Amino acid sequence: MSVTADDLKNGSVFLSEDERSVGIIDQTQLPNRQVYLNLTEAEEMYDAIKKLAVRGAPAIGIFAGYAMYVLALHEDAESADAFRASMQKKADYLNSSRPTAVNLSWALKRQMKVIEDHADKSVPELISLLKKEAVAIHTEDIEMCTRIAEYGLTLVKEGDGILTHCNAGPLATSKYGTSIGPVLLGKERGIDLKVFADETRPLLQGARLTSYELERAGVDVTLICDNMASLVMKNGWVQACFVGCDRVAANGDFANKIGTSGVAILAKHYGIPFYTLGPTSTIDMNCPTGEDIQIELRDPEEIKNMWYKEPMALGETKCYNPSFDVTDHSLLTAIVTDRGIVYPPFDVNLKKLFAEDQDK
Ligand code: MRU
């Protein structure tokens, strides 16, 4: 498959027309308003990630790739050395915005490697290499999502019900998305699947983003509250669970949106296959197990206030608001990647997936 210039412009993250800012669809405004933002400053880029204006592990990685290029344009460093030191500071700053999704640090490291590997080049040459790498990260994501969608589609059949949690569609990635990819690809091919979208408390990515994307694509989608998943499964309406991932550890444990591990436990109870779908850029072989994944804690106001006309709890009420949880690999049927479907034992088979890279 070849990626077109339109594909690069159509996602939720793109390089602006004048190529001097990173463009995003502000995901906090959906589904009611389609607002585009053009970002040039490190602080506004940090805030966009932190506030979830740009969100979803692969989309954050694509954003970070372009961000490094745009920030490089504003550098006034005179030597390549000073340029590298200043870009490292900016990469560290952006990296501190959210800790869980590995794609952020992965993309920032990739851009820093471009600078380090070309120590002999001038600053303007380095800047053009950073642009090339940012486009490569974006292009590769489109290709990876397409392959994930193809592999995922082999796991289901016409009419199946798929339960998903959070949003791992095109807004969170590039084209197709990950967990939603098989559904969108199936739709293109006349294979209709039904989706049950968990609303995904507290930030409602399932309601605001997944059901929006699927409605617009003409997919049969039913929105449910998170606590309805058990009943929907018991009713026999779900033949598979497809969820995204923010970081997959070397043993197959993976972090995804808070509530994912509960869905996995329910799926096990009802004998429903449970898959996570993600690009190889989300697999962190340097992270041995889920215990080693840092889980982001967010503002309690997101639980008490954010979506209501008035507070839904007393100001003094304590809240615990972790953004992600870790699903144990024992609950996972398979990991659907761009390089194929990985089955247990995950520690052995994930190693094999990357063995080819080590041989290079
Ligand atoms: O806090 P969010 O909305 O960034 O959480 C996103 C998820 O948990 C997604 O499922 C994950 O990033 C995969 S997106 C392809």
Side-chain angles (χ1 to χ4, degrees):
M1 104 14 91
S2 59
V3 174
T4 66
D6 276 348
D7 288 331
L8 291 176
K9 279 187 206 137
N10 284 339
S12 66
V13 180
F14 48 90
L15 193 56
S16 64
E17 284 283 304
D18 66 1
E19 303 197 336
R20 298 195 66 80
S21 60
V22 196
I24 57 168
I25 297 175
D26 182 348
Q27 296 192 48
T28 64
Q29 301 288 321
L30 291 171
N32 297 315
R33 285 165 295 276
Q34 213 175 62
V35 176
Y36 289 87
L37 304 175
N38 283 308
L39 311 175
T40 50
E41 305 297 325
E43 290 72 21
E44 53 188 12
M45 292 168 179
Y46 177 100
D47 283 350
I49 302 173
K50 185 89 190 163
K51 287 183 188 151
L52 275 54
V54 57
R55 54 147 296 283
I60 299 173
I62 297 165
F63 178 80
Y66 285 128
M68 289 290 278
Y69 162 64
V70 167
L71 292 173
L73 290 174
H74 303 298
E75 274 296 330
D76 48 17
E78 274 166 23
S79 70
D81 262 0
F83 176 78
R84 187 193 46 72
S86 173
M87 290 305 293
Q88 184 64 62
K89 265 196 196 150
K90 288 181 175 146
D92 292 344
Y93 172 63
L94 291 181
N95 196 36
S96 65
S97 57
R98 291 191 87 188
T100 305
V102 69
N103 301 62
L104 176 59
S105 58
W106 168 86
L108 293 169
K109 275 186 204 146
R110 212 169 131 164
Q111 289 291 42
M112 283 312 300
K113 187 165 179 338
V114 167
I115 299 173
E116 278 147 19
D117 287 354
H118 298 90
D120 54 328
K121 297 273 195 277
S122 67
V123 170
E125 284 171 322
L126 289 172
I127 291 175
S128 90
L129 288 170
L130 287 172
K131 179 183 162 201
K132 204 166 149 216
E133 193 71 1
V135 172
I137 290 171
H138 195 170
T139 307
E140 286 165 25
D141 190 71
I142 296 172
E143 290 165 349
M144 288 193 288
C145 285
T146 308
R147 287 197 289 272
I148 290 168
E150 289 280 3
Y151 285 121
L153 195 54
T154 66
L155 299 169
V156 286
K157 58 179 191 325
E158 167 82 26
D160 275 357
I162 312 294
L163 187 133
T164 192
H165 190 76
C166 194
N167 171 262
L171 286 165
T173 59
S174 47
K175 198 176 175 183
Y176 291 117
T178 56
S179 68
I180 294 307
V183 178
L184 295 177
L185 187 66
K187 183 78 195 165
E188 278 178 17
R189 296 189 178 161
I191 302 163
D192 284 322
L193 301 164
K194 298 185 184 102
V195 176
F196 292 91
D198 281 356
E199 67 172 349
T200 317
R201 284 274 295 158
L203 292 182
L204 306 179
Q205 290 91 332
R208 295 187 301 104
L209 308 173
T210 303
S211 66
Y212 164 82
E213 285 182 322
L214 293 176
E215 281 295 348
R216 288 193 6 156
V219 171
D220 179 339
V221 56
T222 305
L223 180 62
I224 58 171
C225 298
D226 299 350
N227 55 5
M228 297 169 190
S230 173
L231 182 61
V232 166
M233 289 184 188
K234 190 177 181 190
N235 287 349
W237 297 343
V238 179
Q239 280 64 52
C241 296
F242 283 175
V243 298
C245 39
D246 284 84
R247 191 183 295 252
V248 180
N251 71 342
D253 293 349
F254 72 99
N256 192 49
K257 179 50 54 193
I258 187 73
T260 301
S261 67
V263 175
I265 292 164
L266 289 175
K268 180 125 186 158
H269 177 79
Y270 290 109
I272 297 167
F274 180 90
Y275 302 98
T276 187
L277 298 85
T280 34
S281 54
T282 304
I283 302 172
D284 183 359
M285 294 303 280
N286 295 318
C287 175
T289 74
E291 296 276 307
D292 306 291
I293 301 177
Q294 188 186 341
I295 300 295
E296 175 188 13
L297 288 176
R298 294 187 63 89
D299 188 342
E301 290 306 294
E302 292 177 344
I303 300 180
K304 290 196 274 191
N305 267 333
M306 195 154 172
W307 306 107
Y308 308 110
K309 282 204 179 110
E310 45 188 0
M312 284 297 126
L314 295 176
E316 62 268 34
T317 300
K318 271 193 290 176
C319 285
Y320 173 52
N321 186 16
S323 193
F324 301 95
D325 61 19
V326 171
T327 299
D328 194 86
H329 63 274
S330 61
L331 299 167
L332 190 52
T333 307
I335 306 170
V336 183
T337 78
D338 49 285
R339 299 190 191 175
I341 303 175
V342 182
Y343 288 94
F346 294 115
D347 52 351
V348 175
N349 292 336
L350 283 174
K351 226 182 243 162
K352 278 191 198 152
L353 198 71
F354 288 96
E356 232 176 67
D357 294 347
Q358 277 150 20
D359 295 344
K360 276 182 200 164

